């Protein structure tokens, strides 16, 4: 299975994780995609140093870049992110789409192969705004969405609610690290992952209740 940098937790409830996440889901070896949609949340724009600053889920983007470089996807679609976000009223969080475009160009991805959706505040808006941006072509084009394992189930649900049935490519799944001893004692790092799991679990249930 192709997979990116992984993130793990021994203290978090494995059953909750498994209910929330989509795990082993490799892409078909011989298939390529018109659009690789990277769901945001992996960075913010550092205005002082004029560069993106990445979080622990940065492999959403790095794996998207790798899939592009390997010829698996033709167009890299960034579906909102702190590094490119533009608030409609000019208040609150502000990213830098032009700066991020330049950053990706410097990594060898030409401007014509990068599409940015810069206004979505959540996963549901990611889908709605990206569909509007790409137009009718997304209804028939080959699409793969790239996001964290714990975020994938809710993301797929949101896309399907819009009549889009993408393949999915997971990043930062739960793994057992070879040679790493299991420590069930709580720690700040592992406890900090609980809000993310609960957020995705509750969000997925809410999407289902709304028929998404």
């Amino acid at each position: 299975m192709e997979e990116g940098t992984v993130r793990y937790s021994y203290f978090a409830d494995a059953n909750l994780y498994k209910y929330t996440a989509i795990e082993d889901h490799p892409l078909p070896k011989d298939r390529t995609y018109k659009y690789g949609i990277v769901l945001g949340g992996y960075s913010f724009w550092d205005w002082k140093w004029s560069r993106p600053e990445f979080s622990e889920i940065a492999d959403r983007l790095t794996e998207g870049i790798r899939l592009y470089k390997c010829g698996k996807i033709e167009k890299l679609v960034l579906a909102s992110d702190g590094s490119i976000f533009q608030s409609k009223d000019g208040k609150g969080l502000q990213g830098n789409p032009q700066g991020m475009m330049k950053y990706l160009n410097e990594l060898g991805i030409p401007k014509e192969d990068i599409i940015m959706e810069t206004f979505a505040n959540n996963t549901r808006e990611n889908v709605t705004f990206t569909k509007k941006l790409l137009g009718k072509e997304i209804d028939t084009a080959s699409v793969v969405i790239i996001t964290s394992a714990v975020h994938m189930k809710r993301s797929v649900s949101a896309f399907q609610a819009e009549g889009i049935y993408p393949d999915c490519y997971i990043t930062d799944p739960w793994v057992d690290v070879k040679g790493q001893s299991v420590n069930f004692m709580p720690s700040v790092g592992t406890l900090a992952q609980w809000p993310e799991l609960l957020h995705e679990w509750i969000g997925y249930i809410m999407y289902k209740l709304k028929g998404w």
Side-chain angles (χ1 to χ4, degrees), residues 3-159:
E3 62 187 23
T5 304
V6 295
R7 180 163 47 89
Y8 57 89
S9 168
Y10 291 114
F11 188 73
D13 189 335
N15 291 325
L16 178 59
Y17 174 89
K18 290 178 180 178
Y19 177 80
T20 306
I22 290 179
E23 296 190 271
D24 189 9
H25 205 96
L27 297 179
K29 290 183 178 180
D30 299 325
R31 187 172 187 187
T32 58
Y33 299 88
K34 177 69 175 183
Y35 299 112
I37 302 176
V38 179
L39 297 177
Y42 47 81
S43 69
F44 292 96
W45 188 259
D46 185 333
W47 288 93
K48 179 179 179 180
W49 297 105
S50 190
R51 66 189 182 194
E53 291 296 337
F54 295 99
S55 70
E56 64 179 358
I57 58 173
D59 50 329
R60 292 187 187 185
L61 180 61
T62 59
E63 283 298 280
I65 292 172
R66 188 176 70 84
L67 291 174
Y68 172 83
K69 292 285 190 177
C70 290
K72 292 291 289 183
I73 58 179
E74 296 179 31
K75 304 286 184 181
L76 189 66
V77 182
L78 305 190
S80 195
D81 180 65
S83 62
I84 62 173
F85 181 77
Q86 295 177 296
S87 63
K88 294 180 180 179
D89 59 6
K91 299 178 181 179
L93 176 66
Q94 291 291 332
N96 187 350
Q98 295 78 20
M100 193 61 168
M101 178 67 76
K102 182 175 182 291
Y103 178 85
L104 293 172
N105 294 161
E106 290 171 348
L107 293 179
I109 306 178
K111 184 177 181 179
E112 59 267 24
D113 288 345
I114 301 170
I115 299 169
M116 294 184 179
E117 185 285 295
T118 62
F119 294 106
N121 286 291
N122 53 56
T123 302
R124 180 63 176 174
E125 288 186 358
N126 280 153
V127 180
T128 302
F129 295 170
T130 298
K131 183 176 182 180
K132 183 177 180 180
L133 184 65
L134 298 180
K136 293 182 179 180
E137 185 179 10
I138 196 173
D139 294 331
T140 56
S142 53
V143 176
V144 58
I145 54 177
I146 304 159
T147 193
S148 305
V150 295
H151 186 225
M152 185 62 79
K153 184 177 288 187
R154 186 160 62 94
S155 301
V156 169
S157 178
F159 274 89

